[in-house]
Amino acid sequence: MARGGASEDAARHHGGGSPLVGRTAELGLLDTVIDRLGHGAPPFVDITGAAGIGKSRLMAEFCLRARRRGAIVLRGRAAEYERHLPFHPFADAFADLADRPPHAAGLLDVVSGIRGGRAVEPSPGPVQPAADRFGLHRSVAAQLAQLGRAGGLVVALDDVHWADPASLELLDHLVRHPVPGPVVLVVARRDRQTPTALTAALTREADTDAVLRIGLAPLAEEECIEGLAPDLPRERAAQLYAAGEGNPLYFLSLLHAHREDAARRCAASGGNSLGELPTGLGALLLNELAPLTPAQHRTLEAIAVLGDHAVSRVIRRATGRTDAELDDDLDSLARRDLVRPGPGGRMMLRHPVIRTLVHESTTARRRVEIHRAAAVELSRTGAPAVEQARHIERSVTTWDPQAYAVLRQAAEQTASTAPTSCAHWLRAALMLLPDTVERGAERRDLMLRRARALGVAGGLLESRDLLHKVISTAGPDETGVRTSAVVLCALTERHLGRYPEAIALLRRELSRQPELSPSDRVSIGLELSSSAPHNVSYPQMRGEVARTLADARALGNELGEAGALAVAAFGEAYEGGVPAASAYAAQAAGLLDGLPDDDLTALCEPLGRLGWAEAFLGRFADAERHADRGLGIARRSGQVYLLPLLLLCKAHVRIQTCRLPSACELADEAEDIARGIGSSELLAFVLANKAQVRIAASAPGDPEALAAAEEAVATMGPSDNWRASMAWCMLGYAALTGGDPHRARDALLRAGGDDLRGLQPSMRPLLSELLVTAALSTGDVDSASAWAERARHEAEQLGLPVQRASAMRSAAQLALHGGDPAGAATLLSEAAALCARAGAAFWEARSLLLAAPVMTAAGFGARGAAMWEQGHRLATGGGAGLLVGLAEMTRPSEPCTSATAPPWLASLTAREREVAELVAEGLTNQAIATRLYLSPRTVETHLSRVFRKTDVATRAALAALVARS
């Protein structure tokens, strides 16, 4: 369908009214998209071209063809004067779902709260905003996928160069994460007017075949004349074509003027505000309005200004016409093809270009009158605040308490899902609010709210400037507002990578201690402590953390105490102080676990820091539990900027525990949020972690992992802090798995220096292992030995199982290189056992898969095969593509039994022979169970069968029998 239950003729009318001329090649491409929908077709089609070139008409034809083949088609359009209505083109498209079957209800539920209701009818009840805009993006994608299962889905959005910021963000998400199944999104836009971010996303994905780009050029002369003016004398038609420069809209307008004998009026070719239109088109189109009566002209102006609210009762209030008079006006305008019926009973102009021309030619005073009338009518009918707000801001210029309340309500409704719109409505409210001493506190509260909205929307610089204004104007009795502004400003500086500025601001505020309350000192102290290890080392901040902890305890402030303990746990864990970190983590967890969620709203970041500390300490279950709790609280409270920290903590745990598919989802979500916030510092950190996830989840040498690491390094720039070192580490890791040991070594040393002292101690053994591998790959045995020794030393100091296992793998590489497979086998077996006890399934699987061929080479083929089976099972079950690739490289050959083997040996199964060999080595049943990853009871069962088949009764006799064989 083209729109709801509209006919094909109505669909064509919506698309432009004129027959489709030319575009054979473009239609061929679009037909291929329909034919292959869900079977390799690009999930995104990008139609570009100048105004009037035929984008909408081509899109309409595509929608008709898709509908004829059984697909559901939803069409929406962005509008030039509605750029602060969040999700406007999507809401327009999803309005079509009102007549769809029950399986479409889910999508309606997802978007119903976006703008407090789409229609101008009274809202059925209070609006419940979505938890966060990124969750909304995923929900919309999931519902589109479900809707597409009914036979295919086409979502066509026109004029997206005018799309609101929330829609652009959702489009960016859908471009980077295509909806699975038979679903295609089609957008039409003017290339030069499209926001840079969307253009970049579409261009980037076009390189991966995810986006089909169709750029419309001017029509050929023959196609234009034969298709649009076959009855016109050829010479005259050629003149019109030349004047129109191959643009169909201009050609049709010239043709209309010719047939109305008005061509002489087109000689004045003054400039117009539509820079992409051929010169003089504005004047030409406005000539169509000359025959209108004053009443018809006022009605046309009202429709142009009202946009989506151009329904009869609102037009009637704006024009003062009776029902009968308005019907006559609309009939006359429709006969001239200036106005057409749209969805939801609204009227719309024939083309957005005409709307722009009429809107801009309407006097400012008249536009204000129309907006004021619309605001009154929408208020009378109980329309959502967001719908009323755009008319209020354009018509109310003096203090009006009711209008002010509506603007604030609109800001609240859009705060979580469309922060750019929220910031816009708050700015409009500030413009209405009198700038008086009595209203000063209220103004600063609004400014603080607007700064928060700007910060999460990506306007970090503007947010910081606004916060500086709040700080400088706050009165002595507004310490709470001032402290909130200082803390938020320091956080904003952190996101901008300006750590010295953040620390200086906080220290300056602490110097005002006589004016600060103890609770304010704790808040500032926590933020100051959070600057480590980003720009200064934790030991430099240890005293600050201790003072904050003491202040919180003196106040009996459990929240502040828990926050300080979490920061201390993270800092000590980062620095490798395992005993102190463990003690702080236990105390912090004890406090946080005993507090209800409502009390923890201000502690989402400490929950994230505690989670990371526990992850560094190998307490994976506790880390994930605290990250999950922080995520829930952050989403409910709208603290979007904290979500990446928490998501990546959870993703890190899932790498260690070998749950890679979910780790990829978490990293992708963190990336979406980081890009939305607009902090390059945060984005680089997210991309570094995403690279780590992709390396583990993908086959060795996968280019996506390397691309993420390279983008992380490029985004970080010349910075030299913790996050920068992470980016360089992941670049080295990706390069090594991609087969470039030289680049890997250089990147790792760039990250941590020649001795890796620039890296956190808990990472050094793992990264030393990579350097050992790189050095051996290049034949540098001396460097490999040095790195292995450093890894052993660092791991012993830490005493953490995963790090100790890493050092063992480094030593095993050297043993194997030196011709000692037995020694290497023992080290790798112990490394696997350590990781297993720690719950680090990824590293357990890696150790097993490295050990399997070494065990075989050492003469323990059955044990090697068993290790390979266990490692392969962990890798495939956890979606670890890197380890699955390793398993393929180390797959054991089929075991064979020697023809001269004793009969008793041939009678044993592979597992029984393995148990017998370990008994001969002197291992107890418990030790055998640990070595083979079996239960003691299973070992006892195998051993009883071995005794029966070999006809021996004691372990010593079995050992002698094995030795003789």
Side-chain angles (χ1 to χ4, degrees):
M1 67 176 184
R3 184 170 293 282
S7 67
E8 293 187 5
D9 287 342
R12 277 203 179 90
H13 197 63
H14 180 72
S18 59
L20 181 65
V21 174
R23 310 302 185 197
T24 304
E26 291 85 352
L27 282 173
L29 291 172
L30 293 174
D31 281 337
T32 302
V33 171
I34 300 172
D35 292 339
R36 296 169 52 202
L37 198 60
H39 300 283
F44 209 99
V45 177
D46 178 27
I47 303 174
T48 66
I53 203 68
K55 302 182 298 295
S56 300
R57 187 64 194 85
L58 181 64
M59 176 181 279
E61 187 67 25
F62 174 69
C63 290
L64 283 172
R65 295 184 181 207
R67 177 174 175 262
R68 287 171 184 159
R69 300 189 197 188
I72 297 172
V73 178
L74 307 176
R75 292 200 63 189
R77 175 171 244 145
E80 184 176 11
Y81 302 104
E82 284 79 35
R83 297 193 203 186
H84 292 291
L85 286 181
F87 303 101
H88 180 269
F90 285 96
D92 191 27
F94 296 160
D96 290 348
L97 291 171
D99 299 326
R100 300 306 303 173
H103 61 255
L107 188 56
L108 287 172
D109 291 341
V110 169
V111 301
S112 62
I114 287 176
R115 282 161 50 181
R118 175 65 183 83
V120 295
E121 299 301 327
S123 179
V127 176
Q128 299 298 325
D132 69 84
R133 66 196 200 265
F134 305 103
L136 177 70
H137 298 167
R138 296 188 300 277
S139 296
V140 169
Q143 293 297 331
L144 290 176
Q146 181 179 354
L147 194 59
R149 296 191 192 108
L153 172 68
V154 173
V155 180
L157 305 177
D158 207 351
D159 291 329
V160 297
H161 50 278
W162 285 327
D164 59 277
S167 293
L168 292 172
E169 199 170 58
L170 176 53
L171 276 172
D172 180 76
H173 175 86
L174 295 173
V175 171
R176 289 186 293 107
H177 306 292
V179 179
V183 178
V184 62
L185 273 79
V186 187
V187 300
R189 62 189 179 91
R190 301 178 196 170
D191 207 356
R192 286 187 288 173
Q193 294 183 20
T194 303
T196 304
L198 180 59
T199 300
L202 291 169
T203 302
R204 181 177 63 248
E205 297 303 323
D207 295 336
T208 66
D209 297 327
V211 175
L212 171 62
R213 179 79 175 271
I214 299 178
L216 297 188
L219 286 174
E221 180 175 342
E222 194 68 26
E223 290 178 333
C224 193
I225 294 174
E226 292 297 325
L228 299 177
D231 58 329
L232 203 64
R234 180 69 189 208
E235 183 178 351
R236 184 57 181 144
Q239 291 174 346
L240 295 182
Y241 174 83
E245 302 175 6
N247 185 297
L249 175 64
Y250 200 19
F251 182 84
L252 288 170
S253 300
L254 288 165
L255 183 64
H256 173 80
H258 172 76
R259 287 177 173 160
E260 293 287 330
D261 196 26
R264 65 182 184 278
R265 303 179 188 175
C266 304
S269 58
N272 58 74
S273 62
L274 306 173
E276 291 195 353
L277 291 181
T279 304
L281 179 56
L284 180 65
L285 292 172
L286 285 174
N287 281 332
E288 292 189 49
L289 312 184
L292 301 182
T293 66
Q296 291 168 352
H297 203 282
R298 287 172 62 84
T299 298
L300 195 68
E301 290 175 338
I303 294 171
V305 172
L306 291 172
D308 284 2
H309 295 145
V311 294
S312 294
R313 53 188 168 74
V314 184
I315 300 172
R316 187 169 57 248
R317 180 175 284 274
T319 58
R321 305 287 278 169
T322 66
D323 287 345
E325 290 170 338
L326 182 59
D327 287 344
D328 288 343
D329 289 344
L330 294 175
D331 286 344
S332 297
L333 294 172
R335 283 195 299 272
R336 292 183 174 276
D337 196 22
L338 289 169
V339 168
R340 298 172 177 175
R346 74 175 187 258
M347 304 304 296
M348 52 195 298
L349 294 174
R350 181 179 79 228
H351 195 282
V353 167
I354 298 178
R355 183 191 177 192
T356 300
L357 289 168
V358 174
H359 187 283
E360 295 305 312
S361 65
T362 303
T363 64
R365 180 176 179 180
R366 175 66 184 137
R367 290 200 298 265
V368 168
E369 291 173 356
I370 295 169
H371 284 301
R372 183 180 294 118
V376 170
E377 180 64 20
L378 293 174
S379 175
R380 185 186 69 80
T381 57
V386 174
E387 301 287 342
Q388 298 181 50
R390 74 182 183 91
H391 297 291
I392 286 173
E393 71 158 327
R394 294 172 184 176
S395 61
V396 180
T397 56
T398 58
W399 172 239
D400 183 329
Q402 183 177 352
Y404 173 73
V406 171
L407 291 172
R408 291 197 60 163
Q409 186 182 0
E412 291 170 7
Q413 288 180 0
T414 54
S416 59
T417 55
T420 302
S421 295
C422 172
H424 177 80
W425 302 131
L426 287 171
R427 180 176 181 275
L430 281 165
M431 292 179 69
L432 279 187
L433 187 66
D435 191 3
T436 61
V437 174
E438 294 77 16
R439 297 278 186 176
E442 188 175 0
R443 287 190 70 81
R444 281 182 283 277
D445 176 67
L446 284 186
M447 291 162 68
L448 189 59
R449 291 171 184 267
R450 184 164 185 263
R452 287 197 184 97
L454 287 168
V456 299
L460 294 174
L461 290 172
E462 189 177 356
S463 174
R464 184 191 63 185
D465 292 345
L466 196 57
L467 289 166
H468 278 296
K469 189 172 183 180
V470 173
I471 294 168
S472 63
T473 58
D477 57 341
E478 296 178 79
T479 56
V481 170
R482 180 185 173 95
T483 297
S484 296
V486 166
V487 171
L488 183 57
C489 189
L491 176 66
T492 303
E493 297 281 23
R494 271 205 277 148
H495 281 153
L496 288 167
R498 296 161 54 99
Y499 297 106
E501 288 83 351
I503 292 171
L505 174 66
L506 293 165
R507 290 200 184 282
R508 177 177 177 274
E509 197 65 16
L510 282 175
S511 69
R512 301 173 58 252
Q513 287 205 16
E515 300 176 29
L516 287 178
S517 68
S519 60
D520 286 341
R521 285 203 306 273
V522 170
S523 297
I524 294 170
L526 284 175
E527 177 59 30
L528 182 59
S529 305
S530 297
S531 297
H534 301 293
N535 189 63
V536 295
S537 67
Y538 177 74
Q540 292 178 264
M541 302 299 296
R542 194 176 272 129
E544 196 65 60
V545 177
R547 281 189 293 275
T548 302
L549 180 58
D551 285 342
R553 284 174 169 166
L555 283 171
N557 182 347
E558 285 188 313
L559 296 178
E561 182 182 357
L565 287 168
V567 169
F570 176 78
E572 297 293 355
Y574 179 90
E575 293 296 332
V578 173
S582 298
Y584 284 130
Q587 293 177 63
L591 281 173
L592 291 168
D593 291 347
L595 292 170
D597 281 359
D598 289 346
D599 289 351
L600 296 180
T601 300
L603 289 182
C604 290
E605 187 166 16
L607 275 167
R609 291 185 179 276
L610 175 59
W612 274 105
E614 290 167 330
F616 291 157
L617 295 170
R619 300 177 181 179
F620 301 127
D622 289 337
E624 186 163 4
R625 177 168 59 86
H626 288 127
D628 271 331
R629 194 176 186 198
L631 283 168
I633 297 169
R635 291 191 199 282
R636 289 193 296 273
S637 58
Q639 298 180 77
V640 175
Y641 60 91
L642 293 177
L643 293 178
L645 174 74
L646 295 156
L647 289 164
L648 294 178
C649 176
K650 191 172 177 180
H652 178 78
V653 169
R654 295 199 169 186
I655 295 174
Q656 310 305 308
T657 53
C658 206
R659 292 175 286 168
L660 273 303
S662 60
C664 289
E665 294 173 2
L666 293 164
D668 285 342
E669 183 181 353
E671 181 188 1
D672 289 343
I673 296 169
R675 291 189 186 278
I677 290 174
S679 165
S680 58
E681 179 91 5
L682 177 61
L683 178 60
F685 178 65
V686 169
L687 289 171
N689 281 270
K690 177 184 176 180
Q692 184 182 16
V693 174
R694 292 296 180 192
I695 292 167
S698 307
D702 182 78
E704 185 176 353
L706 183 60
E710 289 174 334
E711 187 181 355
V713 168
T715 303
M716 182 59 70
S719 297
D720 189 21
N721 53 31
W722 173 46
R723 290 177 168 175
S725 68
M726 276 289 298
W728 282 101
C729 285
M730 291 308 112
L731 179 59
Y733 191 8
L736 187 62
T737 59
D740 190 346
H742 294 284
R743 188 183 189 192
R745 180 200 60 210
D746 292 344
L748 291 169
L749 296 181
R750 166 66 174 78
D754 291 342
D755 57 0
L756 296 189
R757 290 296 170 186
L759 300 176
Q760 64 188 92
S762 64
M763 288 181 62
R764 291 175 195 163
L766 295 166
L767 297 172
S768 294
E769 181 185 351
L770 299 181
L771 284 167
V772 170
T773 304
L776 289 176
S777 298
T778 59
D780 187 356
V781 180
D782 290 341
S783 292
S785 298
W787 287 118
E789 176 57 27
R790 288 182 184 179
R792 183 196 62 77
H793 177 71
E794 295 281 359
E796 283 182 357
Q797 285 191 320
L798 291 166
L800 296 172
V802 173
Q803 284 75 4
R804 287 172 56 205
S806 177
M808 289 176 180
R809 288 193 299 271
S810 293
Q813 291 188 67
L814 283 172
L816 189 60
H817 182 80
D820 182 12
T826 300
L827 286 165
L828 291 169
S829 179
E830 291 177 4
L834 272 175
C835 294
R837 288 194 291 272
F842 180 87
W843 300 111
E844 177 191 1
R846 178 173 175 80
S847 301
L848 288 168
L849 292 170
L850 290 172
V854 181
M855 278 291 180
T856 301
F860 302 101
R863 287 183 60 196
M867 285 182 151
W868 186 91
E869 290 289 349
Q870 174 73 349
H872 184 257
R873 181 181 65 78
L874 289 172
T876 54
L882 180 68
L883 300 184
V884 172
L886 177 61
E888 291 304 314
M889 291 187 285
T890 60
R891 180 184 292 274
S893 58
E894 291 296 326
C896 59
T897 302
S898 171
T900 60
W904 70 265
L905 184 58
S907 70
L908 299 182
T909 66
R911 180 65 82 185
E912 289 166 355
R913 287 159 57 193
E914 195 170 24
V915 170
E917 290 172 353
L918 294 176
V919 168
E921 291 183 26
L923 272 66
T924 64
N925 284 4
Q926 180 62 55
I928 295 171
T930 300
R931 183 75 64 87
L932 299 181
Y933 306 96
L934 302 173
S935 69
R937 183 181 296 277
T938 301
V939 172
E940 290 173 6
T941 301
H942 285 307
L943 189 55
S944 66
R945 291 172 181 165
V946 170
F947 285 153
R948 185 177 67 252
K949 291 180 179 181
T950 58
D951 196 24
V952 297
T954 66
R955 301 173 78 91
L958 178 60
L961 185 63
V962 171
R964 288 196 302 271
S965 303

